Amino acid sequence: MEVLHAHHRLSRGTPPAGDIFADAACPRPVPSRSPCPGLPAVRDGPPLWVSAVVVVGALGVISLSYSALFDPQTMLGHGQHVTAAARVWAHYAAAYDAALAIALIAFLAARAYQVLPGVLLQAAIAETLLAVVGYTTHRPEQIAADLLLTAAFIFAAVRLSRYPSHDAAR
């Protein structure tokens, strides 16, 4: 077992589990991967609001997929009817929406914080286009929800893009 100091050349990254790590911020050496007593715990990951945006956004996207797949009539205006061609088109839209929602949750669960901003920006672009569709079809309730999700996705993507890479810490 070796005592590593923060300025030591071998202390870059996470030391082996059995080693002791001495850091200037900690009053005494502690086993590696252990919190320093007396200091607040540091959360490993982005802020909780970013995770909440991803989960709520994925639920919103998957709800569109569900509607398009099982009840496309809910996506149409009053007096419009679902044709066979519209049903096929809705199924394609459902597949895209489901894939986007699954990607959002999968990358969040895998802690792929360098990939997730790109997926969030893709979702923001999709929501922006849905707001345009809402505007052209005179559905103001859709516009507000889509623009809110667009802004949330963009803010979360910007915050994640500033999150330090695990590779940079090595």
Side-chain angles (χ1 to χ4, degrees), residues 43 45-57 105 108 113 116 156 160:
R43 184 177 178 276
L48 287 177
W49 69 266
V50 171
S51 298
V53 164
V54 172
V55 170
V56 169
I105 294 298
L108 180 67
Y113 300 133
L116 196 52
L160 278 174

Side-chain angles (χ1 to χ4, degrees), residues 92-105:
Y92 279 106
Y96 169 79
D97 288 337
L100 183 57
I102 291 167
L104 285 167
I105 294 298

Side-chain angles (χ1 to χ4, degrees), residues 13-153:
T14 304
D19 287 348
I20 301 295
F21 187 68
D23 189 355
C26 192
R28 62 174 195 227
V30 294
S32 64
R33 300 188 183 125
S34 297
C36 180
L39 292 179
V42 177
R43 184 177 178 276
D44 184 30
L48 287 177
W49 69 266
V50 171
S51 298
V53 164
V54 172
V55 170
V56 169
L59 289 173
V61 171
I62 201 74
S63 72
L64 282 174
S65 178
Y66 180 84
S67 296
L69 192 58
F70 296 110
D71 192 12
Q73 182 67 39
T74 60
M75 315 256 323
L76 300 176
H78 181 66
Q80 295 177 325
H81 302 286
V82 179
T83 64
R87 189 172 300 279
V88 169
W89 189 254
H91 289 171
Y92 279 106
Y96 169 79
D97 288 337
L100 183 57
I102 291 167
L104 285 167
I105 294 298
F107 288 129
L108 180 67
R111 296 181 179 194
Y113 300 133
Q114 282 68 47
V115 177
L116 196 52
V119 179
L120 284 165
L121 290 178
Q122 179 184 5
I125 291 169
E127 292 297 327
T128 302
L129 293 175
L130 286 173
V132 171
V133 169
Y135 177 78
T136 59
T137 59
H138 308 290
R139 297 176 74 178
E141 69 282 353
Q142 178 183 341
I143 297 168
D146 291 334
L147 291 179
L148 180 66
L149 269 178
T150 297
F153 285 151

